[in-house]
Amino acid sequence: MRGLRMIHPRGPSVLVRVGFSVLLFGGSANLAAQPAAAPDLGLAFGYAVLGTNAIPTTGTVTCTTSTVNGNVGTTGASISNTGCTITGSTDVSLPLSGPGVVTDFGLAYDSIDVMNPDSACLPMPTASGPVPPGVYCSAASTTLGAGIIFQLIGNATDVWVFKVGALGSTGALTGNSFQMVMGGGADACNVYWRTAAAATMTNSTFLGTILSGSAVSVTGGSFLGRALATTDVTLTDVQPLSFAGCAAPATITVAKDFIPSNPANVPIALTCTSGVVSATPLNAAEGAPAVFTVT
């Protein structure tokens, strides 16, 4: 047997292991979360990055050696791009008032507290563990550091809202080597972070839409969602920041190759460290690959 090949639709073949690993998390007290309501982003929905500085004299989006899969918008006169790949449109000089992207973003930001009042909040998780759908709040600034992994477990319609700076406070969100993963059929496009002050992510695996009351800064790591700010957005070495638009799950095909050829079925299981495999194990045979769906 020459080995197993994992054929990903977006990349080259790599070796896979037979077996399936389960990532275990510490216990969580967040077992009675109240249902969360997603804000209506309006025209802001179509943007992966949005900077809406109230004084648009310079570019309010700065991007350095990063990949942005989605549209980028700013109220400034330009977007500072140093070695970035932006796959979507780049829209500058967005109007600050009247119907439009910036107005809709402001309405969505304000609506989060109305739709998800502080009375519905559970404490913001600060340790690794499963995080059921619901509303989570922190009045003070919140820092999520290395070794902390949130596993958001739910279905495709479940919503998570994280409010930093609740109860009228001006808290900021800071993540340093923080990680998030989705469980079940949960979708990153249904995850929202509303911060009263700045949001800063460094070397983190981040999921969800940030609606920041100040600036958003992302350095290193990856980001599946949107970075929407009332001031500036700065991206440095992010690979990538991808728009969370409820896209269809990825599929991974696992084939085998015998020398000499043998039509026997072989049980195959896929190890996935940052996602959820919908079915395992499966069988693969010569000319009959196993197809996994991964979210």
Side-chain angles (χ1 to χ4, degrees):
M1 179 173 177
R2 192 170 69 190
L4 300 176
R5 294 180 292 118
M6 183 177 77
I7 304 173
H8 192 285
R10 294 187 180 178
S13 300
V14 296
L15 293 177
V16 296
R17 293 178 291 150
V18 175
F20 180 68
S21 66
V22 178
L23 187 60
L24 298 178
F25 295 86
S28 172
N30 300 321
L31 300 178
Q34 298 297 308
D40 181 0
L41 296 176
L43 294 176
F45 178 89
Y47 287 81
V49 177
L50 182 63
T52 62
N53 200 317
I55 307 176
T57 56
T58 60
T60 55
V61 172
T62 301
C63 187
T64 304
T65 58
S66 299
T67 299
V68 179
N69 295 321
N71 299 328
V72 177
T74 175
T75 56
S78 65
I79 296 171
S80 176
N81 183 340
T82 304
C84 281
T85 299
I86 300 174
T87 63
S89 67
T90 51
D91 303 324
V92 299
S93 301
L94 294 170
L96 285 168
S97 60
V101 174
V102 178
T103 299
D104 285 356
F105 163 63
L107 292 173
Y109 182 91
D110 293 338
S111 74
I112 288 182
D113 280 340
V114 176
M115 301 170 67
N116 303 277
D118 294 338
S119 60
C121 289
L122 282 178
M124 180 74 66
T126 56
S128 294
V131 181
V135 184
Y136 299 89
C137 302
S138 172
S141 294
T142 297
T143 298
L144 301 169
I148 297 178
I149 305 174
F150 285 4
Q151 185 181 29
L152 278 55
I153 303 172
N155 58 47
T157 61
D158 285 329
V159 176
W160 286 258
V161 171
F162 298 92
K163 296 167 55 178
V164 180
L167 303 172
S169 300
T170 56
L173 171 66
T174 301
N176 194 339
S177 300
F178 165 59
Q179 297 182 57
M180 300 175 67
V181 296
M182 309 302 292
D187 199 315
C189 71
N190 294 330
V191 180
Y192 298 88
W193 295 77
R194 198 278 286 148
T195 66
T200 303
M201 286 290 134
T202 304
N203 297 327
S204 296
T205 302
F206 188 82
L207 303 172
T209 294
I210 292 179
L211 295 92
S212 175
S214 184
V216 175
S217 177
V218 185
T219 302
S222 63
F223 191 141
L224 177 59
R226 305 178 186 86
L228 312 179
T230 55
T231 59
D232 303 336
V233 178
T234 301
L235 308 173
T236 306
D237 300 330
V238 186
Q239 298 297 338
L241 187 154
S242 295
F243 167 62
C246 300
T251 59
I252 294 178
T253 301
V254 180
K256 72 151 184 78
D257 190 8
F258 282 134
I259 298 179
S261 294
N262 187 320
N265 287 334
V266 176
I268 303 295
L270 181 67
T271 296
C272 187
T273 58
S274 60
V276 176
V277 181
S278 65
T280 186
L282 296 173
N283 289 330
E286 198 81 46
V291 179
F292 296 86
T293 298
V294 179
T295 57

